[in-house]
PDB file of all heavy atoms in Angstrom:
ATOM      1  N   ARG M 463     104.107 114.317 121.969  1.00  0.00           N
ATOM      2  CA  ARG M 463     103.518 114.472 123.295  1.00  0.00           C
ATOM      3  C   ARG M 463     103.706 115.903 123.808  1.00  0.00           C
ATOM      4  O   ARG M 463     102.802 116.534 124.331  1.00  0.00           O
ATOM      5  CB  ARG M 463     104.239 113.475 124.198  1.00  0.00           C
ATOM      6  CG  ARG M 463     103.818 113.452 125.556  1.00  0.00           C
ATOM      7  CD  ARG M 463     103.422 112.086 126.052  1.00  0.00           C
ATOM      8  NE  ARG M 463     102.264 111.490 125.456  1.00  0.00           N
ATOM      9  CZ  ARG M 463     101.929 110.227 125.661  1.00  0.00           C
ATOM     10  NH1 ARG M 463     102.691 109.442 126.401  1.00  0.00           N
ATOM     11  NH2 ARG M 463     100.839 109.742 125.128  1.00  0.00           N
ATOM     12  N   ARG M 464     104.916 116.419 123.621  1.00  0.00           N
ATOM     13  CA  ARG M 464     105.242 117.778 124.029  1.00  0.00           C
ATOM     14  C   ARG M 464     104.346 118.772 123.285  1.00  0.00           C
ATOM     15  O   ARG M 464     103.770 119.681 123.880  1.00  0.00           O
ATOM     16  CB  ARG M 464     106.720 118.028 123.674  1.00  0.00           C
ATOM     17  CG  ARG M 464     107.199 119.418 123.835  1.00  0.00           C
ATOM     18  CD  ARG M 464     108.627 119.532 123.335  1.00  0.00           C
ATOM     19  NE  ARG M 464     108.698 119.525 121.870  1.00  0.00           N
ATOM     20  CZ  ARG M 464     109.827 119.687 121.178  1.00  0.00           C
ATOM     21  NH1 ARG M 464     110.969 119.831 121.806  1.00  0.00           N
ATOM     22  NH2 ARG M 464     109.808 119.688 119.863  1.00  0.00           N
ATOM     23  N   ALA M 465     104.178 118.564 121.966  1.00  0.00           N
ATOM     24  CA  ALA M 465     103.331 119.462 121.191  1.00  0.00           C
ATOM     25  C   ALA M 465     101.884 119.345 121.649  1.00  0.00           C
ATOM     26  O   ALA M 465     101.172 120.353 121.782  1.00  0.00           O
ATOM     27  CB  ALA M 465     103.446 119.134 119.704  1.00  0.00           C
ATOM     28  N   ALA M 466     101.452 118.106 121.931  1.00  0.00           N
ATOM     29  CA  ALA M 466     100.050 117.917 122.324  1.00  0.00           C
ATOM     30  C   ALA M 466      99.750 118.694 123.599  1.00  0.00           C
ATOM     31  O   ALA M 466      98.685 119.318 123.720  1.00  0.00           O
ATOM     32  CB  ALA M 466      99.752 116.430 122.510  1.00  0.00           C
ATOM     33  N   SER M 467     100.676 118.684 124.556  1.00  0.00           N
ATOM     34  CA  SER M 467     100.341 119.390 125.792  1.00  0.00           C
ATOM     35  C   SER M 467     100.346 120.897 125.566  1.00  0.00           C
ATOM     36  O   SER M 467      99.525 121.623 126.122  1.00  0.00           O
ATOM     37  CB  SER M 467     101.240 118.955 126.958  1.00  0.00           C
ATOM     38  OG  SER M 467     102.561 119.252 126.670  1.00  0.00           O
ATOM     39  N   ALA M 468     101.252 121.377 124.692  1.00  0.00           N
ATOM     40  CA  ALA M 468     101.232 122.808 124.378  1.00  0.00           C
ATOM     41  C   ALA M 468      99.950 123.186 123.633  1.00  0.00           C
ATOM     42  O   ALA M 468      99.360 124.244 123.872  1.00  0.00           O
ATOM     43  CB  ALA M 468     102.456 123.169 123.546  1.00  0.00           C
ATOM     44  N   MET M 469      99.515 122.314 122.766  1.00  0.00           N
ATOM     45  CA  MET M 469      98.292 122.590 122.005  1.00  0.00           C
ATOM     46  C   MET M 469      97.094 122.615 122.946  1.00  0.00           C
ATOM     47  O   MET M 469      96.211 123.465 122.833  1.00  0.00           O
ATOM     48  CB  MET M 469      98.087 121.528 120.908  1.00  0.00           C
ATOM     49  CG  MET M 469      99.106 121.631 119.790  1.00  0.00           C
ATOM     50  SD  MET M 469      99.061 120.210 118.667  1.00  0.00           S
ATOM     51  CE  MET M 469      97.714 120.682 117.567  1.00  0.00           C
ATOM     52  N   HIS M 470      97.092 121.665 123.870  1.00  0.00           N
ATOM     53  CA  HIS M 470      95.987 121.611 124.827  1.00  0.00           C
ATOM     54  C   HIS M 470      95.948 122.890 125.656  1.00  0.00           C
ATOM     55  O   HIS M 470      94.877 123.479 125.875  1.00  0.00           O
ATOM     56  CB  HIS M 470      96.150 120.394 125.734  1.00  0.00           C
ATOM     57  CG  HIS M 470      95.085 120.281 126.776  1.00  0.00           C
ATOM     58  ND1 HIS M 470      93.753 120.132 126.470  1.00  0.00           N
ATOM     59  CD2 HIS M 470      95.160 120.323 128.132  1.00  0.00           C
ATOM     60  CE1 HIS M 470      93.040 120.081 127.589  1.00  0.00           C
ATOM     61  NE2 HIS M 470      93.878 120.193 128.610  1.00  0.00           N
ATOM     62  N   GLU M 471      97.114 123.304 126.069  1.00  0.00           N
ATOM     63  CA  GLU M 471      97.200 124.534 126.871  1.00  0.00           C
ATOM     64  C   GLU M 471      96.640 125.711 126.072  1.00  0.00           C
ATOM     65  O   GLU M 471      95.846 126.503 126.578  1.00  0.00           O
ATOM     66  CB  GLU M 471      98.675 124.763 127.195  1.00  0.00           C
ATOM     67  CG  GLU M 471      98.931 125.725 128.332  1.00  0.00           C
ATOM     68  CD  GLU M 471     100.437 125.934 128.479  1.00  0.00           C
ATOM     69  OE1 GLU M 471     101.157 124.919 128.632  1.00  0.00           O
ATOM     70  OE2 GLU M 471     100.864 127.092 128.418  1.00  0.00           O
ATOM     71  N   TYR M 472      97.037 125.773 124.816  1.00  0.00           N
ATOM     72  CA  TYR M 472      96.555 126.851 123.964  1.00  0.00           C
ATOM     73  C   TYR M 472      95.038 126.770 123.767  1.00  0.00           C
ATOM     74  O   TYR M 472      94.324 127.769 123.898  1.00  0.00           O
ATOM     75  CB  TYR M 472      97.270 126.772 122.615  1.00  0.00           C
ATOM     76  CG  TYR M 472      96.605 127.577 121.529  1.00  0.00           C
ATOM     77  CD1 TYR M 472      96.737 128.962 121.475  1.00  0.00           C
ATOM     78  CD2 TYR M 472      95.811 126.952 120.560  1.00  0.00           C
ATOM     79  CE1 TYR M 472      96.115 129.701 120.497  1.00  0.00           C
ATOM     80  CE2 TYR M 472      95.180 127.684 119.581  1.00  0.00           C
ATOM     81  CZ  TYR M 472      95.325 129.057 119.545  1.00  0.00           C
ATOM     82  OH  TYR M 472      94.695 129.779 118.575  1.00  0.00           O
ATOM     83  N   LEU M 473      94.559 125.555 123.497  1.00  0.00           N
ATOM     84  CA  LEU M 473      93.135 125.396 123.184  1.00  0.00           C
ATOM     85  C   LEU M 473      92.244 125.683 124.386  1.00  0.00           C
ATOM     86  O   LEU M 473      91.085 126.046 124.225  1.00  0.00           O
ATOM     87  CB  LEU M 473      92.867 123.974 122.674  1.00  0.00           C
ATOM     88  CG  LEU M 473      93.439 123.656 121.297  1.00  0.00           C
ATOM     89  CD1 LEU M 473      93.399 122.156 121.027  1.00  0.00           C
ATOM     90  CD2 LEU M 473      92.692 124.413 120.198  1.00  0.00           C
ATOM     91  N   THR M 474      92.772 125.491 125.582  1.00  0.00           N
ATOM     92  CA  THR M 474      91.936 125.669 126.769  1.00  0.00           C
ATOM     93  C   THR M 474      92.235 126.955 127.507  1.00  0.00           C
ATOM     94  O   THR M 474      91.616 127.250 128.517  1.00  0.00           O
ATOM     95  CB  THR M 474      92.127 124.488 127.736  1.00  0.00           C
ATOM     96  OG1 THR M 474      93.517 124.312 127.972  1.00  0.00           O
ATOM     97  CG2 THR M 474      91.537 123.216 127.173  1.00  0.00           C
ATOM     98  N   SER M 475      93.190 127.744 126.978  1.00  0.00           N
ATOM     99  CA  SER M 475      93.560 128.957 127.718  1.00  0.00           C
ATOM    100  C   SER M 475      92.540 130.062 127.539  1.00  0.00           C
ATOM    101  O   SER M 475      92.526 131.025 128.288  1.00  0.00           O
ATOM    102  CB  SER M 475      94.925 129.451 127.256  1.00  0.00           C
ATOM    103  OG  SER M 475      94.800 129.914 125.932  1.00  0.00           O
ATOM    104  N   GLY M 476      91.706 129.943 126.509  1.00  0.00           N
ATOM    105  CA  GLY M 476      90.676 130.957 126.310  1.00  0.00           C
ATOM    106  C   GLY M 476      91.196 132.218 125.657  1.00  0.00           C
ATOM    107  O   GLY M 476      90.435 133.098 125.296  1.00  0.00           O
TER     108      GLY M 476
END
Side-chain angles (χ1 to χ4, degrees):
Chain M
R463 180 126 294 170
R464 172 185 75 176
S467 61
M469 290 169 83
H470 178 62
E471 197 184 305
Y472 164 77
L473 290 167
T474 52
S475 68

